[in-house]
């Protein structure tokens, strides 16, 4: 499950995406706007894939990502911004990211390039 608010925001930014997104898939835009709506990851994936195909936008996901910032995470973003260090912000995100979507996770790993003093995030 995840919050499909990004799908609604994408439709408002680009009217070519049409009325089928998201109401035609059963999303309640009012509940999404309130932040009280969740949808299965598979449904959101289907909406994005079909929309990208219908409008020949193979980079739809990248376009949507370019329009978003940390605040797409709602209250989690506020908690992260109020962390004293980047490490605390990452720890906060890894602890509570599941609230936004159980499909998302964040973990600290060794730097993939092996640089000393550098950590990786996955």
């Amino acid at each position: 499950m995840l919050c499909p608010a990004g799908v609604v925001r994408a439709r408002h930014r680009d009217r070519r995406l049409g009325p089928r997104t998201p109401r035609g898939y059963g999303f309640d835009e009012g509940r999404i706007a309130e932040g009280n709506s969740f949808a299965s990851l598979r449904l959101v994936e289907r909406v994005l894939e079909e929309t990208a195909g219908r409008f020949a936008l193979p980079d739809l996901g990248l376009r949507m990502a370019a329009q978003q910032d940390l605040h797409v995470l709602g209250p989690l973003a506020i908690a992260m911004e109020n962390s004293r260090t980047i490490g605390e912000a990452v720890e906060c995100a890894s602890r509570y990211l599941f609230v936004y979507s159980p499909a998302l996770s964040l973990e600290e790993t060794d730097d993939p390039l092996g640089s000393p003093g550098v950590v990786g995030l996955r």
Side-chain angles (χ1 to χ4, degrees), residues 17-104:
L17 300 183
R20 183 170 160 112
T21 307
R23 190 174 292 132
Y25 287 94
F27 293 121
D28 180 337
E29 289 187 60
R31 290 191 63 210
I32 292 171
E34 293 171 7
N36 295 324
S37 181
F38 288 86
S40 74
L41 181 59
R42 296 284 181 237
L43 176 59
V44 173
E45 179 182 49
R46 192 178 105 216
V47 170
L48 295 175
E49 289 289 334
E50 288 180 10
T51 302
R54 186 171 351 124
F55 296 102
L57 297 170
D59 62 343
L60 177 62
L62 294 172
R63 290 177 187 217
M64 290 177 63
Q67 299 292 322
Q68 295 180 355
D69 63 15
L70 184 64
H71 293 95
V72 71
L73 298 176
L76 177 55
I78 295 168
M80 292 171 62
E81 288 179 327
N82 285 293
S83 298
R84 289 180 290 160
T85 65
I86 292 174
E88 283 183 9
V90 170
E91 182 180 322
C92 179
S94 66
R95 188 175 320 129
Y96 298 111
L97 194 56
F98 77 93
V99 173
Y100 180 73
S101 170
L104 302 174

